[in-house]
Amino acid sequence: MYASTVGLQGVQPLGVDHGLAAPLKTVMAIANLIAEGRALGFDFRISGDFAELTRQRQRLRDSEVSPMFDPQACRSLGERGFWMAVRDRDGKTVGLQAFRLDDADPNLAEWVLGWMMGLYAKRGEMIVPRAVMPPEHSLSHLIRGRIVYHGELWIDKHAKGCFPVFPRLGMMLAMVKWQPEAIWALTGQSMATRGHMVRMGYGHLEQSFLTWEWEPDGAEQAEWVGIALRRHLEFSIAEMAATEAKCQLSQAP
């Protein structure tokens, strides 16, 4: 089963040398998301200190950070990643998320399983896949090069209005910072099928992207993947700019 706004035919990486299609609109979209969050009483923080993320997750969620963002499993995280926190009016942290840049070679489909198993192995944790590769017609076979993994997403259920502002802000910042071919995230069936991923900006969803005999802690036996190609992100920026322009026209005297 697929939920996608793009077909697989003719999808080719755009290449990092193309740069941002609309840099001014991108900056304005980020500024508008920050302003929208602040109007709701939220303040955003960004950091490259992943030891602090580890402490924050333990304090807020009483669990270990995933190996993808564990500085003990990947000592270059400070150079290849960042994480964000969001605080409410009372200064309480009500959201976390993290991003990391990797090179998918030869493509995301063939690279992903070895990447994940290697990170879990560094922490002495075993995961056992049911299939060695995503399904044959997965979009991941066409994605290669610079990709950004989006994980550790958590938002307090009482932080009304924080979603989808917070995740979209992080994705926009990751795009500006690295200009990747795609941003991708793993998720469970509930989040994938209730529209949350689409609202965040993931234009393509696939079920059973990874399947497990012995799944990672906190994961489902069949994991969905959300993929935001650069064209998805550029479209989101254009859509946000158009919405903002309509709002300004409606408010004009």
Side-chain angles (χ1 to χ4, degrees):
M1 176 180 175
Y2 291 87
S4 176
T5 59
V6 297
L8 300 187
Q9 297 298 321
V11 177
Q12 296 295 330
L14 296 180
V16 296
D17 56 333
H18 285 252
L20 297 173
L24 181 57
K25 287 182 179 179
T26 303
V27 172
M28 291 175 65
I30 291 171
N32 288 336
L33 285 170
I34 293 173
E36 184 178 348
R38 286 180 174 169
L40 294 169
F42 298 115
D43 181 51
F44 304 104
R45 174 192 169 203
I46 187 169
S47 173
D49 183 352
F50 282 88
E52 176 62 19
L53 174 62
T54 300
R55 291 189 290 269
Q56 289 287 341
R57 166 144 185 179
Q58 187 65 47
R59 180 178 69 85
L60 294 166
R61 304 180 62 188
D62 193 27
S63 58
E64 288 188 357
V65 72
S66 66
M68 294 77 135
F69 297 104
D70 185 342
Q72 298 302 313
C74 180
R75 299 190 182 278
S76 62
L77 271 174
E79 302 168 6
R80 66 167 65 236
F82 69 87
W83 64 276
M84 297 181 68
V86 55
R87 294 177 293 193
D88 63 13
R89 287 188 175 91
D90 298 324
K92 177 184 175 183
T93 299
V94 294
L96 296 171
Q97 64 180 339
F99 300 83
R100 60 172 287 162
L101 176 69
D102 290 284
D103 182 26
D105 182 27
N107 56 55
L108 175 57
E110 296 182 53
W111 168 86
V112 62
L113 190 58
W115 172 76
M116 283 192 68
M117 293 182 70
L119 287 169
Y120 276 90
K122 287 180 180 179
R123 287 215 313 203
E125 299 177 27
M126 181 185 298
I127 54 176
V128 180
R130 183 175 298 168
V132 297
M133 200 175 296
E136 181 181 356
H137 298 292
S138 169
L139 179 62
S140 59
H141 288 277
L142 300 178
I143 297 173
R144 62 179 182 269
R146 295 161 67 87
I147 58 171
V148 171
Y149 177 67
H150 180 191
E152 291 297 315
L153 179 60
W154 166 80
I155 297 174
D156 189 294
K157 62 182 179 181
H158 301 296
K160 294 182 179 180
C162 191
F163 183 91
V165 173
F166 181 49
R168 293 184 77 182
L169 175 60
M171 292 171 72
M172 295 294 176
L173 290 172
M175 185 178 72
V176 170
K177 183 176 178 65
W178 292 305
Q179 296 179 37
E181 303 301 338
I183 298 176
W184 66 290
L186 296 171
T187 189
Q189 182 171 340
S190 177
M191 189 166 182
T193 57
R194 294 183 180 180
H196 299 305
M197 298 295 286
V198 173
R199 290 174 63 200
M200 287 162 56
Y202 286 99
H204 183 88
L205 296 175
E206 296 175 9
Q207 69 180 78
S208 300
F209 174 70
L210 294 175
T211 55
W212 304 101
E213 293 289 349
W214 192 339
E215 67 270 20
D217 186 35
E220 297 179 6
Q221 286 193 325
E223 294 192 89
W224 289 64
V225 66
I227 298 174
L229 295 171
R230 190 187 304 182
R231 67 194 69 203
H232 290 152
L233 297 168
E234 298 281 11
F235 178 83
S236 293
I237 288 167
E239 188 178 42
M240 291 170 68
T243 301
E244 181 67 18
K246 287 180 182 179
C247 289
Q248 290 178 354
L249 284 173
S250 66
Q251 295 171 1

